[in-house]
Structures are given as C-alpha cells and as structure tokens.
Amino acid sequence: TPQRLAHLSRVHVAIPVHLKGGVILPGESVGNSIGAFLVALPGERPDLTPTQRLQSSHQELYRAKRRPTAFLSHYIAKLATQTLPTSWVSYMFARVNNGASCVVTNVRGPDHPIHLQGDKVEAAFGFVPLAPGIPIGVGVASFNGKIQLTLTAQPWAVPDA
C-alpha cells in the first residue's frame, strides 16, 4: 500500500508556473506558456513549529523561483511532444512527476464583485486535475477579497477528506 502522506518529513510539491509573468488581462490567454518546478517542503515534523515550517517553506520557494527550472521544463516538454513517439512522452511525463506528493496552483480572480447574466457571482473555485503519479491537487483561488481552497485527491492519499 502507498505511504500515507501525513507521515512524510519532506513533501515534494509540483508547482505550475505561468511563464509570461504578470497578470492575464481579459481576452488574453496563457496558451501553452506553462512550466513547472518541484520543491521539497517540510512535512509532518515534530521538531518544527508551524511558524518554522512556514519560514522554511518560504525560503525554499524563494530559492526555487529564481532557478530556470520552469522554463527548462516547458521547452523540454515542447521539444519532446514535437519529436518523440506518444508512448515515450507519456512515460517521460509520468517519470517526471515521480516523487511529487501534490501539485499546488493558484488562480487570481478579480478583486471586485462580478455579475453573470445579471446575477452576482458569490464565489469562484478552482479544480486541479491529478497528473499521473501525483495523488493530491490543491487549487488556491482568490475572488472578491476572499481565498478559496479546492482539494482533489486519490482516496488512499487523503482517506479522511
């Protein structure tokens, strides 16, 4: 049986990155300008307080964001999908995700109320489809001054969710 994720001392998190940077304006599209990086963050560790875990996570993410990993992953994936057989690409993508416990992504929504066909939109939620080999997806969406979290998971990874 797979290891329960709550007992990991380090959690490997895959983080997709919008490579164009900045805010996506209405009418614009991200297209396929998405890369990713993998970062090891502190997991269930009794030797760290929650504040220490947050500080450690911040430091690791700060370092990871300054590396070219997201750009390299994008261009390697683009080259692979254009030149290699589909079966090889599928195998390669599954291996790249190997070891990641979850994927976390954010979607920034408008900071103000919006209406759809005259009705006020009360909330916005994201959805993170699970990539091969990654059992947990976390979507963080902001909308109208509020933050919503969405969890998608394999039952074995989060049995009490």
Side-chain angles (χ1 to χ4, degrees):
T1 62
Q3 182 180 11
R4 286 199 48 160
L5 298 177
H7 298 291
L8 296 175
S9 63
R10 301 291 288 171
V11 178
H12 294 90
V13 179
I15 300 176
V17 178
H18 165 50
L19 298 178
K20 290 182 181 179
V23 175
I24 302 167
L25 298 174
E28 286 187 329
S29 171
V30 174
N32 286 332
S33 297
I34 302 289
F37 63 87
L38 192 68
V39 62
L41 302 177
E44 194 69 26
R45 295 193 36 202
D47 61 316
L48 295 178
T49 66
T51 301
Q52 289 170 322
R53 275 201 301 264
L54 183 60
Q55 289 171 335
S56 177
S57 296
H58 173 74
Q59 291 168 353
E60 187 58 36
L61 286 165
Y62 181 85
R63 284 190 293 268
K65 289 178 186 178
R66 276 139 189 81
R67 296 181 193 126
T69 310
F71 288 96
L72 292 172
S73 72
H74 170 75
Y75 290 111
I76 290 169
K78 188 174 182 178
L79 178 65
T81 57
Q82 293 173 351
T83 59
L84 298 175
T86 304
S87 60
W88 290 17
V89 174
S90 296
Y91 175 79
M92 187 175 85
F93 285 166
R95 298 298 299 166
V96 166
N97 295 335
N98 191 20
S101 301
C102 67
V103 61
V104 177
T105 189
N106 69 308
V107 178
R108 183 172 183 213
D111 294 333
H112 53 82
I114 60 172
H115 293 78
L116 183 63
Q117 295 185 345
D119 292 324
K120 184 178 178 183
V121 176
E122 297 293 333
F125 295 90
F127 172 73
V128 180
L130 299 177
I134 301 180
I136 299 174
V138 179
V140 182
S142 65
F143 172 72
N144 194 20
K146 298 178 183 173
I147 294 179
Q148 309 287 343
L149 296 177
T150 305
L151 177 70
T152 308
Q154 296 288 342
W156 65 263
V158 187
D160 54 352

mmCIF file of all heavy atoms in Angstrom, residues 3 30 32 90 93 100:
data_model
loop_
_atom_site.group_PDB
_atom_site.id
_atom_site.type_symbol
_atom_site.label_atom_id
_atom_site.label_comp_id
_atom_site.label_asym_id
_atom_site.label_seq_id
_atom_site.Cartn_x
_atom_site.Cartn_y
_atom_site.Cartn_z
ATOM 1 N N GLN A 3 2.453 4.896 0.915
ATOM 2 C CA GLN A 3 2.728 5.552 2.188
ATOM 3 C C GLN A 3 1.719 6.670 2.413
ATOM 4 O O GLN A 3 1.372 7.400 1.492
ATOM 5 C CB GLN A 3 4.141 6.132 2.162
ATOM 6 C CG GLN A 3 4.540 6.797 3.451
ATOM 7 C CD GLN A 3 5.950 7.360 3.372
ATOM 8 O OE1 GLN A 3 6.540 7.419 2.315
ATOM 9 N NE2 GLN A 3 6.482 7.771 4.502
ATOM 10 N N VAL A 30 -3.197 32.316 -21.603
ATOM 11 C CA VAL A 30 -1.887 31.808 -21.216
ATOM 12 C C VAL A 30 -1.348 30.938 -22.335
ATOM 13 O O VAL A 30 -0.153 30.830 -22.546
ATOM 14 C CB VAL A 30 -1.987 30.999 -19.897
ATOM 15 C CG1 VAL A 30 -0.666 30.349 -19.563
ATOM 16 C CG2 VAL A 30 -2.430 31.885 -18.770
ATOM 17 N N ASN A 32 -0.009 27.830 -24.123
ATOM 18 C CA ASN A 32 0.805 26.739 -23.590
ATOM 19 C C ASN A 32 2.085 27.261 -22.956
ATOM 20 O O ASN A 32 3.109 26.600 -22.978
ATOM 21 C CB ASN A 32 1.139 25.736 -24.697
ATOM 22 C CG ASN A 32 -0.062 24.893 -25.054
ATOM 23 O OD1 ASN A 32 -0.922 24.679 -24.213
ATOM 24 N ND2 ASN A 32 -0.131 24.453 -26.286
ATOM 25 N N SER A 90 4.410 9.980 -22.825
ATOM 26 C CA SER A 90 3.578 9.605 -21.674
ATOM 27 C C SER A 90 4.435 9.017 -20.563
ATOM 28 O O SER A 90 4.270 9.363 -19.392
ATOM 29 C CB SER A 90 2.509 8.599 -22.093
ATOM 30 O OG SER A 90 1.640 9.185 -23.013
ATOM 31 N N PHE A 93 6.589 11.873 -18.958
ATOM 32 C CA PHE A 93 5.832 12.754 -18.072
ATOM 33 C C PHE A 93 5.497 12.062 -16.755
ATOM 34 O O PHE A 93 5.534 12.683 -15.696
ATOM 35 C CB PHE A 93 4.561 13.250 -18.748
ATOM 36 C CG PHE A 93 4.801 14.321 -19.793
ATOM 37 C CD1 PHE A 93 3.806 14.664 -20.675
ATOM 38 C CD2 PHE A 93 6.021 14.972 -19.897
ATOM 39 C CE1 PHE A 93 4.013 15.633 -21.634
ATOM 40 C CE2 PHE A 93 6.241 15.942 -20.848
ATOM 41 C CZ PHE A 93 5.224 16.276 -21.725
ATOM 42 N N ALA A 100 6.528 13.372 -6.479
ATOM 43 C CA ALA A 100 5.739 14.528 -6.045
ATOM 44 C C ALA A 100 4.534 14.036 -5.262
ATOM 45 O O ALA A 100 3.840 13.119 -5.674
ATOM 46 C CB ALA A 100 5.292 15.353 -7.243
#
